[in-house]
Amino acid sequence: MPVEFLGIAATNDGSETTPRSGAAFDKEYTLRLARAHEDHGWDRVLFAYGSGSPDPAPAAAYIASRTERLQILLAHRPNVSYPTFAAKTFATLDRISEGRLTVHFITGGDDHEQGREGDTLTKDERYARTREYIQLVKKIWTTHEPFDHEGEHYRFHDFVSDVFPVQQPRPGVSFGGSSPAAYAAGGAEADIYCLWGEPLAKTAEQIEAVKAAARAAGRTDVPRIQVAFRPIIAPTEELAWEKARRTVAAIRERRGTGLVRHHRGGAPEAASPQNVGSQRLIAIAEAGERYDRALWTPTAAATGGAGNSNALVGTPETVAQALLDYYDLGVDILSARGYDLLDDAIDFGRYVIPLVREEVARRDAERAARGPRALAAVGE
């Protein structure tokens, strides 16, 4: 099966290890980073969402109009706009990008972060709202006659959009989360289900949970699986581990200054995260530092389990093989971003992506040569 690579579309050069050098939205840097991904073999980039961060939709439109092939994954929280408005925004962006848009719907796992923009629903209520929201956006994208809606969270009458996506029947829907409520909502509605990097055995368990939720929702297909990592690569294993230790030291020093604003997470002073995904990362880190071929947890521990934070450490060859281990589990979208966003995107694109693509192509060719039964086994 094909493999795809997702990078990050940051709007400034700041990271967990380095404060940004300019404004929160640095137009030149945003374009430079996106073009670095397009020029070095990446398939798409994520425009993330944070309560106080630059609005990702116009930033994505800016990049879409200045790139040719790079696909866009736009993060969106349902609490910030009505679904009728959002569906038109997404359709317009799909037009601007000529069919390169996927939308990542974020339910929100932390009450403090959600409350920053006036969202007072409980977590379970948020998941119910997200599911209704996604269903409405899909319907608006594909319905050419006015319709009414009377739901739990949204009510409107006689609505029809005048702008429709390029992609038919609609753009893709991406979703993430590690709780039973997340599996249920995403399993029912998502085309792509996103997970944070965990040990192989735990990732396999989550994939099965997503598949079970899809079956329970009556689906005959299942979402594609995406898994996210923070690669730390160097020409030798020794240099890679030295770089990894420097990275963790820099994360701890930066957090120690108290200057980090958690726009995409909870309150900086929170003793433990509310969302299950971060709780899982912390528990995994407490149980051990190294797993499988190259997974390293101190980066997650140093950030308090904040988002995509588990590292893959080693030479490009080691990291490529580690990614292929996840591919063997059924993961066909590999998300990666380093701590020096621009240089790491270039290095990963030059030295890791070709290795993974070459091996996947080799395996696919072998399966094709063995005939239809081998290809069918891959999809099971």
Side-chain angles (χ1 to χ4, degrees):
M1 62 183 177
V3 63
E4 296 182 7
F5 288 90
L6 169 71
I8 191 70
T11 59
N12 60 72
D13 59 358
S15 76
E16 296 92 333
T17 61
T18 309
R20 70 177 189 240
S21 61
F25 181 67
D26 180 335
K27 188 169 72 171
E28 288 73 24
Y29 182 84
T30 301
L31 180 57
R32 186 181 178 194
L33 181 62
R35 285 180 171 165
H37 281 86
E38 184 168 64
D39 292 343
H40 291 88
W42 298 79
D43 295 286
R44 58 169 59 92
V45 288
L46 166 67
F47 283 84
Y49 188 92
S51 60
S53 302
D55 186 348
Y62 169 67
I63 291 306
S65 66
R66 288 162 176 80
T67 55
E68 295 179 359
R69 300 176 304 281
L70 193 65
Q71 298 177 56
I72 295 197
L73 179 60
L74 178 69
H76 180 77
R77 289 181 184 168
N79 60 291
V80 301
S81 69
Y82 217 70
T84 50
F85 175 84
K88 293 185 297 179
T89 300
F90 304 147
T92 303
L93 183 52
D94 198 54
R95 287 279 160 186
I96 292 170
S97 67
E98 298 181 325
R100 288 182 279 150
L101 176 70
T102 300
V103 183
H104 180 67
F105 291 91
I106 302 174
T107 298
D110 185 272
D111 293 343
H112 182 91
E113 167 68 2
Q114 294 302 120
R116 284 171 170 158
E117 293 188 282
D119 188 4
T120 59
L121 296 186
T122 66
K123 187 175 180 180
D124 286 346
E125 289 171 337
R126 292 197 295 266
Y127 273 111
R129 177 183 61 192
T130 299
R131 192 163 178 176
E132 184 179 348
Y133 197 98
I134 294 173
Q135 290 168 350
L136 283 171
V137 168
K138 288 178 178 178
K139 186 171 183 178
I140 293 165
W141 278 340
T142 56
T143 301
H144 293 258
E145 298 296 330
F147 69 96
D148 301 339
H149 179 75
E150 292 282 347
E152 180 181 359
H153 296 280
Y154 303 103
R155 296 171 180 82
F156 54 82
H157 304 282
D158 197 39
F159 179 81
V160 63
S161 177
D162 195 33
V163 56
F164 292 91
V166 170
Q167 297 178 76
Q168 293 298 316
R170 57 172 176 78
V173 166
S174 173
F175 191 90
S178 297
S179 67
Y183 298 145
E189 301 296 339
D191 303 300
I192 299 170
Y193 201 99
C194 306
L195 302 170
W196 290 333
E198 296 186 0
L200 290 164
K202 291 187 176 296
T203 300
E205 291 171 2
Q206 290 212 75
I207 292 172
E208 288 307 310
V210 172
K211 290 180 177 179
R215 291 192 294 268
R219 291 179 60 168
T220 56
D221 63 337
V222 295
R224 298 174 65 193
I225 301 297
Q226 172 185 304
V227 178
F229 303 97
R230 305 300 293 271
I232 301 175
I233 63 172
T236 69
E237 295 291 330
E238 181 180 6
L239 289 173
W241 286 104
E242 289 178 3
K243 183 178 178 181
R245 288 187 285 271
R246 289 196 307 271
T247 298
V248 167
I251 293 171
R252 290 172 177 158
E253 180 179 0
R254 181 149 159 69
R255 284 177 65 88
T257 65
L259 298 177
V260 180
R261 177 69 173 172
H262 290 211
H263 286 301
R264 286 191 291 274
E269 69 277 5
S272 61
Q274 287 184 314
N275 64 302
V276 175
S278 292
Q279 292 171 4
R280 289 174 64 99
L281 294 186
I282 291 173
I284 291 166
E286 289 174 346
E289 288 193 358
R290 296 182 65 171
Y291 292 87
D292 305 320
R293 194 186 300 267
L295 191 73
W296 195 56
T297 65
T299 47
T303 61
N308 171 22
S309 50
N310 268 338
L312 292 176
V313 181
T315 63
E317 292 77 12
T318 296
V319 171
Q321 287 300 318
L323 292 169
L324 287 162
D325 291 338
Y326 287 89
Y327 174 81
D328 288 339
L329 293 181
V331 177
D332 65 345
I333 303 176
L334 299 168
S335 174
R337 63 183 170 100
Y339 292 92
D340 182 329
L341 300 179
L342 180 61
D343 288 347
D344 286 348
I346 293 170
D347 286 346
F348 190 87
R350 282 176 174 168
Y351 303 119
V352 178
I353 289 178
L355 295 176
V356 176
R357 290 199 193 281
E358 181 180 359
E359 177 60 18
V360 168
R362 186 190 67 79
R363 295 180 186 185
D364 286 349
E366 286 185 353
R367 293 184 184 114
R370 292 199 298 269
R373 292 185 64 182
L375 290 173
V378 175
E380 292 176 356

